Amino acid sequence: METKIKSIESYSGDNICLVRITDGDGAQGWGMTAPFAANISALVLHQIAAGTAFASHNSPDVNDFTDVADEVIRRNYKYLGTFLARAAAGIDTALWDLEAKKKGVSAAVLAGKKSGRDYIDLYASSMKRDLPVREEADRLREIQDKFGYRAIKLHPGIPVGRDRDFWDGRTEDMVRAMIETARPGTEIYVDVNGNYSVEKAIETARFLHDCGVKFFEEPCPYWKTEETKAVRDACEKIGIPVAGGEQDYIDTVWENMIERRVMDICQPDLLYLGGFSRSLRVAKLAASKNLPVTPHTSNRSPIFIMGLHYMAHIDNPYPFLECGIEEDLWATECYTPQIIIKDGRAAVPDGPGWGFEPDEDFLAKAHYQISRND
Amino acid sequence: METKIKSIESYSGDNICLVRITDGDGAQGWGMTAPFAANISALVLHQIAAGTAFASHNSPDVNDFTDVADEVIRRNYKYLGTFLARAAAGIDTALWDLEAKKKGVSAAVLAGKKSGRDYIDLYASSMKRDLPVREEADRLREIQDKFGYRAIKLHPGIPVGRDRDFWDGRTEDMVRAMIETARPGTEIYVDVNGNYSVEKAIETARFLHDCGVKFFEEPCPYWKTEETKAVRDACEKIGIPVAGGEQDYIDTVWENMIERRVMDICQPDLLYLGGFSRSLRVAKLAASKNLPVTPHTSNRSPIFIMGLHYMAHIDNPYPFLECGIEEDLWATECYTPQIIIKDGRAAVPDGPGWGFEPDEDFLAKAHYQISRND
């Protein structure tokens, strides 16, 4: 590999950890680890991942910078898990920014912009799970009118909740109310975050299909691949696609899920999965099986920007990308400029790199760490 | 669940993190997270796992203390990975010690001692991968004579090393030299830590079989389940059993591996897997498919003691348990008393609990943290 990484710096807040890489030429790039528990990702980044990223420069197993995250994960096989992948994502996304900036292009252009799209259509993704049904439906309609979204995703039910709801019938009432309240023709998606048993998922799938819901996301606990597969097979007959994959960070698990069609729509999280490079590979694999891809980007941290580049690049984008609608300062205060949403879509930043810069106040307040390749 | 956990304390050194739990009656128990990167496991323990362990007391999903680790992992599904399992193991193993001490019995007796064995036969496990062949063979024979081991495991090749060896032919020379040098009748095992491609693994399996090696451990990178499965199927025809599983911490992955017979001998690591309770479930599942189990206990930290209890309890123990032979202070300095090895075997500690106490010097020097359930 050509790029010699000279240093890896991190700036951690409560939820966000921004990462800066400097190479041997003094070129720099910004990336981030996956959101939440940022301090743990930062610790894993410096204590475990950084050394192997430095060493990858001289490794015969690394062809270019897009292999570094894989090598970091492989060499640290005793530490496999979400935190290692989150840390690797920080390195990988900073390298994408650095390499794209060196060439003066956007990340999407560096990747090769196959979809040819300059604008990405977005679906409004609600993160409120337990609001009164009327309040949530009205809130979402208001947001729809303001930003022009043509698709909306609900998150009803309790995550991995063993078939339980916040109160009896809320999920069904919420779906019906949303359909009545949204603009006519709005696509409605439902994500239950692994709430259901196979039986309850199939029963719910019938209801959702009858309501005209366009996809059913994460019906069963995601690590129970066989349960999700059973539900998907039933849903094919019912006539509603199953979406999923946001939590999965093991490439062989992705290969298995795509090969066996555990889901119809693939939703890798670019950062949980270990970065842009690894996520591009999943998209390529999904495309080979004609499965559409729309990444998990449920908040407006820089992951959302990376999602725009990703959707601009890949062969097989789903028509809409997830756009978190909550006004979460934790996600937006760390960078500028914010992405403008109009007519239910956003422009793919021109770059160079990702097209964002860290916020100076965020950096000043963040916990700073550096690993040097001496 | 009856036990209300009042506090979780941790004492971390570089590699070892001992965990103490105190319950509502003031009863206490000691356990440990998995070895290595102990500070990260301790951080995950307090920041992520402790709160869910406290909450499990009132959860309808927890029947008794043996369900707590599962609940910790399930509720923190966004943080799935080795560090979460390592932290959960600290809680689970401390609860086993606490509950067994409350009843005045050993952990093995509390579990129900099915094998009826008071002594566990051990295999000597070398951790030196790159010593000159002659030196390593002589060293192991000396250790064999001193402690009476009737089985020896070699670790040749580079871990996840893409078919590479430390130098050409070392693995083959090492196996031949060991067989010539060991006492006649010694069982020899070979663990390559995921070094091989399918092709190279099958070629090596033929060689190992011809040499009389009794099992071939982790031929391929462990996360590549399909590759290991292909090698195992070939090895069945060749006539050498495949062992594996030490790194796997996802219960559905274990279910899949056992169901599909990805390996012939199951080697869960009691701590990487998330504790004694979760490991007992894997043993039960393996027994239902007539697969023998021998846990991964390659060092003499308290995991080795837990391994003795485990082998005394389970239905389907392999004839020998792994016993690390390196004199690693990091593993042994944290507790007393040390296990005595004679005639190639060790007594299962009588308890109460695990039958070890933390070393006062270790505790005094360790980094201390506490989570309180107020």
Side-chain angles (χ1 to χ4, degrees), chain B residues 327-340:
Chain B
E327 288 180 12
D328 293 320
L329 262 183
W330 67 262
T332 51
E333 69 182 4
C334 66
Y335 71 100
T336 55
Q338 299 300 307
I339 297 293
I340 294 163

Side-chain angles (χ1 to χ4, degrees), chain B residues 132-182:
Chain B
V133 164
R134 189 71 264 148
E135 183 181 334
E136 171 73 332
D138 290 343
R139 179 179 89 104
L140 289 171
R141 172 63 197 250
E142 198 177 310
I143 287 168
Q144 177 175 42
D145 286 340
K146 189 167 171 190
F147 296 102
Y149 295 108
R150 276 156 287 137
I152 292 172
K153 187 165 87 181
L154 301 170
H155 279 95
I158 298 172
V160 302
R162 297 186 169 91
D163 292 337
R164 294 178 199 133
D165 208 339
F166 285 94
W167 56 86
D168 269 4
R170 183 185 181 281
T171 294
E172 291 76 6
D173 291 347
M174 187 68 241
V175 172
R176 284 192 207 99
M178 195 68 249
I179 289 168
E180 287 163 18
T181 310

Side-chain angles (χ1 to χ4, degrees), chain A residues 177-326:
Chain A
M178 195 67 250
I179 289 168
E180 287 165 15
T181 309
R183 286 194 208 163
T186 302
E187 294 209 355
I188 306 292
Y189 313 136
V190 171
D191 177 3
V192 300
N193 291 99
N195 189 5
Y196 295 140
S197 60
V198 172
E199 192 179 19
K200 175 78 174 168
I202 293 173
E203 181 191 319
T204 305
R206 287 199 192 93
F207 164 76
L208 297 176
H209 172 260
D210 292 346
C211 292
V213 168
K214 297 294 182 192
F215 71 67
F216 184 17
E217 181 172 338
E218 222 176 290
C220 303
Y222 67 91
W223 62 92
K224 299 192 175 190
T225 311
E226 298 311 309
E227 295 188 9
T228 305
K229 166 80 174 143
V231 171
R232 196 220 70 88
D233 289 352
C235 283
E236 186 169 10
K237 285 169 202 147
I238 294 167
I240 182 168
V242 167
E246 72 183 63
Q247 300 293 341
D248 287 289
Y249 51 81
I250 302 177
D251 42 14
T252 46
V253 170
W254 269 108
E255 288 164 18
N256 175 54
M257 292 194 302
I258 290 172
E259 176 65 34
R260 297 178 59 226
R261 198 164 178 140
V262 170
M263 70 276 281
D264 304 296
I265 300 164
C266 299
Q267 300 175 305
D269 180 298
L270 308 180
L271 301 176
Y272 293 160
L273 178 49
F276 201 65
S277 305
R278 286 166 58 82
S279 302
L280 292 179
R281 267 172 229 137
V282 163
K284 206 167 170 183
L285 199 64
S288 76
K289 298 285 178 185
N290 295 313
L291 299 184
V293 174
T294 183
H296 174 246
T297 51
S298 59
N299 63 70
R300 298 272 189 96
S301 73
I303 194 174
F304 177 56
I305 299 175
M306 295 168 187
L308 294 170
H309 288 271
Y310 188 74
M311 290 291 272
H313 163 67
I314 62 175
D315 275 321
N316 48 330
Y318 189 78
F320 295 91
L321 171 69
E322 181 168 32
C323 180
I325 57 164
E326 313 305 339

Side-chain angles (χ1 to χ4, degrees), chain B residues 5 8 19 21 31-33 45 49-53 65 68-69 72 86-96 274:
Chain B
I5 302 173
I8 300 175
V19 176
I21 285 182
M32 73 180 280
T33 68
L45 174 68
T52 38
F65 77 93
V68 171
V72 164
R86 285 159 186 249
I91 295 170
D92 177 79
T93 52
L95 286 172
W96 271 93

Side-chain angles (χ1 to χ4, degrees), chain A residues 311-353:
Chain A
M311 290 291 272
H313 163 67
I314 62 175
D315 275 321
N316 48 330
Y318 189 78
F320 295 91
L321 171 69
E322 181 168 32
C323 180
I325 57 164
E326 313 305 339
E327 289 179 14
D328 293 321
L329 263 183
W330 66 263
T332 52
E333 69 182 2
C334 65
Y335 71 100
T336 54
Q338 299 300 308
I339 296 293
I340 294 164
I341 294 159
K342 209 183 146 186
D343 300 329
R345 61 186 200 161
V348 182
D350 284 335

